[in-house]
Amino acid sequence: MAVAAMVRASEIRHRPWAASSCRKGRLLSSDVDVINRAASVSASDRFVRWLGWMATITGVLMFASYLDQIQLNLSGQKGSVIQPLATVVNCGLWTTYGALRRDWPVSFANAPGIVLGALSLITAL
């Protein structure tokens, strides 16, 4: 009930017209709807944040495959330059986009692609 009262008080500040719906400290059905929406948004936000960081981790692991290609290039089995070049350009764009939007999972997931793609490109030449 204390949490509900805090949420209700903040809703009244942001929705002055809602103050009239509060009667003798009891929560009305519309108040419960507001509280339920606030709870579901925060749970949804936590899930989206978690999902973003899980995608970041898997994205970084995906770029680890370039380590094998770099080793092959250095041992004399040169690979194509098209895929590493496309990776450097793509990851550069996404890293810049994420940094400008302050979307750190996007930036951190793509930054290794710039470095490893560039190394793969250089060693393939």
Side-chain angles (χ1 to χ4, degrees):
M1 183 70 167
V3 172
M6 287 189 291
V7 172
R8 179 69 188 132
S10 69
E11 285 296 319
I12 290 172
R13 279 192 296 263
H14 297 294
R15 299 182 315 159
W17 51 268
S20 62
S21 68
C22 187
R23 297 200 177 119
K24 297 182 183 179
R26 291 181 288 169
L27 294 175
L28 302 176
S29 63
S30 62
D31 299 329
V32 173
D33 291 340
V34 169
I35 293 167
N36 287 337
R37 280 194 309 266
S40 68
V41 168
S42 66
S44 175
D45 288 345
R46 283 193 305 266
F47 174 74
V48 169
R49 180 174 290 147
W50 174 84
L51 183 63
W53 284 108
M54 290 300 105
T56 298
I57 291 168
T58 58
V60 170
L61 292 174
M62 177 186 65
F63 293 124
S65 67
Y66 278 101
L67 296 174
D68 184 45
Q69 184 60 48
I70 293 168
Q71 285 179 337
L72 289 172
N73 291 342
L74 292 173
S75 69
Q77 298 176 2
K78 301 289 186 183
S80 173
V81 296
I82 295 172
Q83 183 179 3
L85 177 62
T87 299
V88 170
V89 171
N90 182 46
C91 290
L93 292 171
W94 278 111
T95 301
T96 304
Y97 171 83
L100 292 174
R101 302 264 315 177
R102 300 214 187 297
D103 192 348
W104 303 121
V106 171
S107 288
F108 293 150
N110 287 284
I114 298 170
V115 175
L116 294 172
L119 285 173
S120 182
L121 177 66
I122 291 166
T123 59
L125 296 175

